[in-house]
């Protein structure tokens, strides 16, 4: 078809690189094709000659990168005749599972850690009609239960251990390569279960092997310091971090992620909660980009490594921002200045505030 500029979603666009058939019923909400935004102000503030791009995955339909994997996982579940899907989640997977299940007309069961999920994500799962099962345990306990349930119940697991999730998520790397015309030098990404770092490497590798680009980036995975099994070299039993999305101590893609680190000549590092929140605020205030705390881990980590020169000047860097800031309004409000106290609705009082606050 000539002049085809509008795709219905990433399966439609990358059909020849994904495991679907011509007659597969595609379950899509128009995911993918997210903005790659070049940062202007933060590199200047760092005083370093670096080119930083943000892949703004928070602009997917349910507000996170999970939609890339979920469109394919649910499409395949429906194709295989499944009537229900299940996942454990720190929030974003549950939101995506709930939405795509609604679209497909099937049931979503989601296991979430009681009290440790950002409000926006809970609202999404509830609004889309998922069966929300709150457990008195963390993500890792939920994941274990989901695997056990999946052994005999007629439900499809849609966590990133489902290989279709990874296939769908690899398309983020395709988009970056198409837009930049070549691979960045470094790709910085937050790591929880390590499914997404694995998916990106798969995408970069496929375009490289097909000769579409002639290099691949070094993959750098950042974890929150209180939930950093890749830094400890072993599983962490009581993970803690303000970045609840990556509050994971037993990553499901442990071996795959180490392979990515070795093959790409990359590394893992950790960021404190303070530096994560500072990066989140910096992006919002200096670049107009609002992401959730876990997402800001990629920039927080990149800034650390730019500072020390581990990421050298002259580098082209892509940081994935995995989820939208509106997912976690509580954390955003907690770290922002309170609004100006309410005033009378008079021109005089409003004007006084404006004059006080002009930059
Ligand atoms: N960033 C956000 C916003 C996430 O929600 C997640 C994972 C990650 C990063 C880490 O990605 O697990 O592929 O390394 N969230 C999952 C969930 C665990 O349940 O929503 P990963």
């Amino acid at each position: 078809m000539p002049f085809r500029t509008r795709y219905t979603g990433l399966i439609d666009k990358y059909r020849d690189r994904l495991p679907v058939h011509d007659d597969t019923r595609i379950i899509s909400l128009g995911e993918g094709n997210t903005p790659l935004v070049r940062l202007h102000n933060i590199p200047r503030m760092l005083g370093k000659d670096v080119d930083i791009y943000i892949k703004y995955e928070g602009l997917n339909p349910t507000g996170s990168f999970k939609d890339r994997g979920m469109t394919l996982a649910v499409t395949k579940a429906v194709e295989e005749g499944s009537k229900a899907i299940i996942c454990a989640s720190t929030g974003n997977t549950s939101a995506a599972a709930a939405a795509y299940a609604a679209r497909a007309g099937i049931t979503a069961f989601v296991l979430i850690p009681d009290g440790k999920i950002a409000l926006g994500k809970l609202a999404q799962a509830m609004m889309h009609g998922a069966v929300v099962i709150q457990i008195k345990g963390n993500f890792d306990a939920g994941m274990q239960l989901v695997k056990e349930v999946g052994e005999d119940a007629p439900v499809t697991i849609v966590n990133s251990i489902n290989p279709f999730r990874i296939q769908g998520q690899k398309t983020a790397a395709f988009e970056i390569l198409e837009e930049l015309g070549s691979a960045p030098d470094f790709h910085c990404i937050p790591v929880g279960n390590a499914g997404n770092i694995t998916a990106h490497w798969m995408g970069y590798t496929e375009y490289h092997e097909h000769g579409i680009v002639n290099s691949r980036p070094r993959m750098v995975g950042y974890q929150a310091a209180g939930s950093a099994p890749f830094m400890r070299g072993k599983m962490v039993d009581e993970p803690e971090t303000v970045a609840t999305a990556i509050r994971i101590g037993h990553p499901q893609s442990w071996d795959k992620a180490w392979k990515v680190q070795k093959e790409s000549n990359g590394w893992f590092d950790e960021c404190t909660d303070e530096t994560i929140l500072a990066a989140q605020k910096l992006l919002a205030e200096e670049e107009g980009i609002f992401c959730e705390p876990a997402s800001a881990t990629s920039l927080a980590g990149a800034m650390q490594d730019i500072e020390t020169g581990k990421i050298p000047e002259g580098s082209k860097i892509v940081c994935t921002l995995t989820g939208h800031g509106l997912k976690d309004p509580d954390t955003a409000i907690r770290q922002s200045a309170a609004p100006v106290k309410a005033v009378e609705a008079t021109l005089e009082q409003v004007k006084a505030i404006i004059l006080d606050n002009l930059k």
Side-chain angles (χ1 to χ4, degrees):
M1 203 190 303
F3 308 123
R4 180 137 190 244
T5 52
R6 197 176 158 74
Y7 293 94
T8 56
L10 61 85
I11 299 181
D12 188 24
K13 176 148 190 220
Y14 295 110
R15 182 175 272 286
D16 55 340
R17 301 195 179 276
L18 293 169
V20 288
H21 308 287
D22 287 349
D23 58 353
T24 302
R25 178 185 156 214
I26 309 286
I27 312 297
S28 168
L29 290 165
E31 55 294 310
N33 195 22
T34 54
L36 189 67
V37 184
R38 188 172 185 210
L39 298 188
H40 291 309
N41 299 322
I42 292 176
R44 203 179 310 136
M45 288 170 65
L46 293 174
K48 301 272 188 179
D49 172 26
V50 283
D51 212 4
I52 309 176
Y53 292 83
I54 289 302
K55 182 68 169 161
Y56 199 7
E57 290 288 274
L59 294 195
N60 275 297
T62 78
S64 86
F65 72 97
K66 305 287 179 176
D67 295 343
R68 291 184 186 273
M70 205 54 74
T71 181
L72 192 63
V74 174
T75 290
K76 295 305 282 186
V78 168
E79 185 173 65
E80 287 155 13
S82 184
K83 296 276 185 284
I85 57 175
I86 189 167
C87 65
S89 180
T90 55
N92 282 324
T93 302
S94 66
Y100 284 82
R103 182 83 165 161
I106 61 174
T107 306
F109 296 97
V110 304
L111 272 71
I112 55 171
D114 186 22
K116 289 287 184 181
I117 163 176
L119 207 59
K121 306 173 188 181
L122 183 61
Q124 288 177 292
M126 292 169 70
M127 195 69 185
H128 291 302
V131 180
V132 178
I133 305 169
Q134 306 193 61
I135 58 161
K136 293 181 176 148
N138 59 24
F139 169 86
D140 303 306
M143 192 64 236
Q144 186 55 37
L145 286 165
V146 163
K147 283 182 181 167
E148 286 166 26
V149 171
E151 274 172 25
D152 44 28
V155 291
T156 304
I157 298 175
V158 293
N159 280 104
S160 57
I161 55 172
N162 178 326
F164 298 125
R165 279 275 313 275
I166 304 296
Q167 285 283 334
Q169 286 170 212
K170 75 183 178 185
T171 59
F174 294 167
E175 291 174 13
I176 291 164
L177 293 174
E178 286 164 21
E179 195 152 342
L180 293 179
S182 61
D185 301 305
F186 298 90
H187 187 125
C188 300
I189 191 163
V191 170
N193 273 309
N196 211 24
I197 193 170
T198 305
H200 276 77
W201 187 241
M202 182 187 276
Y204 282 124
T205 301
E206 279 186 22
Y207 268 25
H208 186 237
E209 282 174 355
H210 282 87
I212 299 167
V213 287
N214 56 19
S215 68
R216 296 182 289 179
R218 295 174 75 179
M219 300 297 297
V220 190
Y222 296 108
Q223 301 211 279
S227 306
F230 284 99
M231 295 306 293
R232 308 292 162 259
K234 61 176 181 10
M235 302 298 166
V236 170
D237 282 336
E238 299 291 340
E240 269 314 334
T241 168
V242 67
T244 52
I246 50 172
R247 186 170 166 269
I248 294 168
H250 291 237
Q252 296 299 311
S253 295
W254 177 258
D255 294 338
K256 292 195 184 92
W258 281 115
K259 198 160 164 267
V260 171
Q261 180 266 318
K262 287 194 189 75
E263 283 181 15
S264 77
N265 194 22
W267 64 88
F268 294 108
D269 210 336
E270 62 191 295
C271 305
T272 63
D273 280 2
E274 291 70 38
T275 56
I276 291 170
L277 293 178
Q280 184 197 16
K281 194 96 171 81
L282 199 64
L283 269 168
E285 288 190 345
E286 302 297 332
E287 302 282 0
I289 297 171
F290 191 18
C291 67
E292 66 169 289
S295 305
T297 309
S298 59
L299 182 70
M303 282 168 54
Q304 281 173 194
D305 284 331
I306 289 166
E307 200 64 50
T308 62
K310 194 166 182 185
I311 294 180
E313 294 209 48
S315 296
K316 188 180 284 186
I317 306 151
V318 172
C319 293
T320 298
L321 294 189
T322 43
H324 201 285
L326 289 172
K327 293 273 193 176
D328 191 352
D330 296 310
T331 307
I333 290 171
R334 228 181 297 129
Q335 64 167 320
S336 301
V340 182
K341 222 170 101 232
V343 295
E344 295 304 325
T346 62
L347 183 59
E348 198 184 27
Q349 297 217 1
V350 171
K351 228 172 161 176
I353 295 172
I354 292 172
L355 291 175
D356 264 3
N357 286 278
L358 278 178
K359 276 193 187 170

